[in-house]
Amino acid sequence: AWGLQRLASKLDLDLRAVHIDHGLDGDSRRRAAAARDLCSYLGIPLTTVQSSIPPRLGPAESLEAAARKIRYRILEDQRRQLGASFILTAHHADDQIETLAIRLLYGTGLEGLAGIQERQGRVLRPLLGLRQAEIKQVLGENDLVPVADPSNLHWGPVRNRVRQLLLPELLGEEPQVDEQLLALAITASSVRTQVEGLLRPVLDLRHTERGLEFRKRSLQHLPRNLWPFALALVHREAGVPYPPSAAATQELARQIGRADRIGCDCGAGWRWQGRGPWIGLFKHPTPTPSFAYTVEAPGECEIEELSLRFRIRRGAVDSWMFRQSSRRVGLELPLLAGDSVVVRNRRPGDRVRPLGCQYTRRLKDLMIDRRVPRYERSRLPLLEVESRVVWVPGVTIDDAHRIGVGREVWIAELESL
């Protein structure tokens, strides 16, 4: 923050600071206060966010990894709210050395050997080329006291053991091992850049609203030993923090070889999905929570979970009612003024009698047949009348409630808030 503040006027920077307090130790409030004092001294607006770690961690996920994931999510949320261009972190060269040592301990490839990147999507790390001792020297010369995190002294996390035990032992045997690890990261990063320069035009990457797509045949025509590099490039371009696992890559290869439709989870909430000549890499959306709103007809309500307004009213039969729409519908319903309808998302066991069909079908099967993407299925606001689903927006209406000979029908409408 201090260094950026000195450059702000020269580079025309508008700086904002964010401090995230997970409350994992009794010292966290003191660090938050120190951040406030520093930002006040520098004249940089500060946002402090308190965020606890969920009690249930993911499979093989450490407390540190969960906290890191939450921090980056919060920082990205803050960046969007502020309209900022980039997120800057204070990672330095000693962090890079520790990262390389950890990855070598557990096994890694070219992607891992490239280490922490100076730029990863919207995240910039301007101090990555400086050693921690250099940073502390500059701070001391300017009467700035760094605030230490006491959790860094605990031997539980792997990184702490590498920092306090392994690296000092290695440096005692080979004083240049830290510089050698930094050189390794630079070399691996350079090689990766060259490989990606050859792969990028072959893959024909294209960005979409949902993620990133590449041509299936371009991957199929590559030698199999280049697939990990190609898919790592796709992941990085899409903003995925890690390359796909070997198991995910094998599953993708199996599906490409036997089917036209691709659907494969590849880690960190991302999924390969495609049909026809393109394969897309998409982020799983946050699941839509269950909702149900009771509305007196005629009337309206706000569906907060979808940022939509639902309205039901009486209206004259019109030509648009005979064309399928995801936003409005005309229905013959057994309703009187003051009767209630329910707007909700799907539930297990839902059935509907599709338009033109003589029997009911499971809604789940119908959505699959109509190729409704999985992530959209729980976001459809179903209209229920007398415990029966009568409208699935953009999919079908219940045949029993199609428009008959009457001049007036009930009109259900959805509009964005």
Side-chain angles (χ1 to χ4, degrees), residues 5-57:
Q5 192 265 351
R6 291 169 63 89
L7 295 172
S9 59
K10 295 180 181 179
L11 300 180
D12 193 25
L13 299 177
D14 183 10
L15 301 176
R16 297 290 189 273
V18 178
H19 178 81
I20 301 167
D21 182 3
H22 295 301
L24 295 177
D25 59 82
D27 191 60
S28 67
R29 290 186 179 180
R30 182 183 68 86
R31 297 196 297 276
R36 287 194 297 270
D37 292 343
L38 175 62
C39 289
S40 176
Y41 170 70
L42 297 175
I44 299 176
L46 171 69
T47 298
T48 300
V49 180
Q50 292 185 328
S51 177
S52 59
I53 310 300
R56 292 186 178 181
L57 303 179

Side-chain angles (χ1 to χ4, degrees), residues 319-332:
S319 59
W320 64 262
M321 298 178 183
F322 299 93
R323 298 187 296 271
Q324 181 171 273
S325 170
S326 61
R327 286 297 177 121
R328 58 181 182 171
V329 68
L331 296 167
E332 289 277 8

Side-chain angles (χ1 to χ4, degrees), residues 148-256:
D149 185 345
S151 66
N152 289 334
L153 301 177
H154 301 162
W155 283 13
V158 173
R159 183 174 292 272
N160 289 1
R161 297 199 299 273
V162 167
R163 180 187 303 126
Q164 299 175 42
L165 300 175
L166 178 62
L167 285 174
E169 190 71 24
L170 290 175
L171 287 167
E173 295 289 332
E174 176 52 64
Q176 299 300 314
V177 71
D178 52 354
E179 296 299 331
Q180 291 169 351
L181 287 171
L182 289 174
L184 175 61
I186 293 171
T187 301
S189 183
S190 175
V191 171
R192 188 186 69 180
T193 299
Q194 295 178 48
V195 171
E196 290 181 349
L198 299 173
L199 290 173
R200 196 181 302 274
V202 174
L203 291 172
D204 192 15
L205 303 175
R206 68 178 187 182
H207 289 271
T208 69
E209 291 184 1
R210 290 185 55 207
L212 190 70
E213 292 184 334
F214 59 97
R215 288 192 181 275
K216 181 168 66 174
R217 68 184 181 189
S218 64
L219 186 65
Q220 289 176 297
H221 290 167
L222 284 175
R224 187 59 60 87
N225 58 359
L226 289 180
W227 279 36
F229 302 105
L231 294 174
L233 169 61
V234 173
H235 274 226
R236 190 177 310 105
E237 288 288 316
V240 185
Y242 303 106
S245 66
T249 302
Q250 290 174 4
E251 175 59 19
L252 178 64
R254 185 187 70 83
Q255 292 192 21
I256 285 179

Side-chain angles (χ1 to χ4, degrees), residues 5 7 43 49 63 99 128 143 148 163 208-209 260 262 268 272 276 278 285 308 313 318 324 333 365 388 396:
Q5 192 265 351
L7 295 172
V49 180
L63 182 66
T99 297
L128 198 57
D143 298 323
R163 180 187 303 126
T208 69
E209 291 184 1
D260 180 54
I262 302 296
W272 289 314
W278 293 89
L308 293 175
R313 62 181 174 85
D318 200 341
Q324 181 171 273
L333 298 174
D365 295 337
R388 181 169 181 167
T396 191

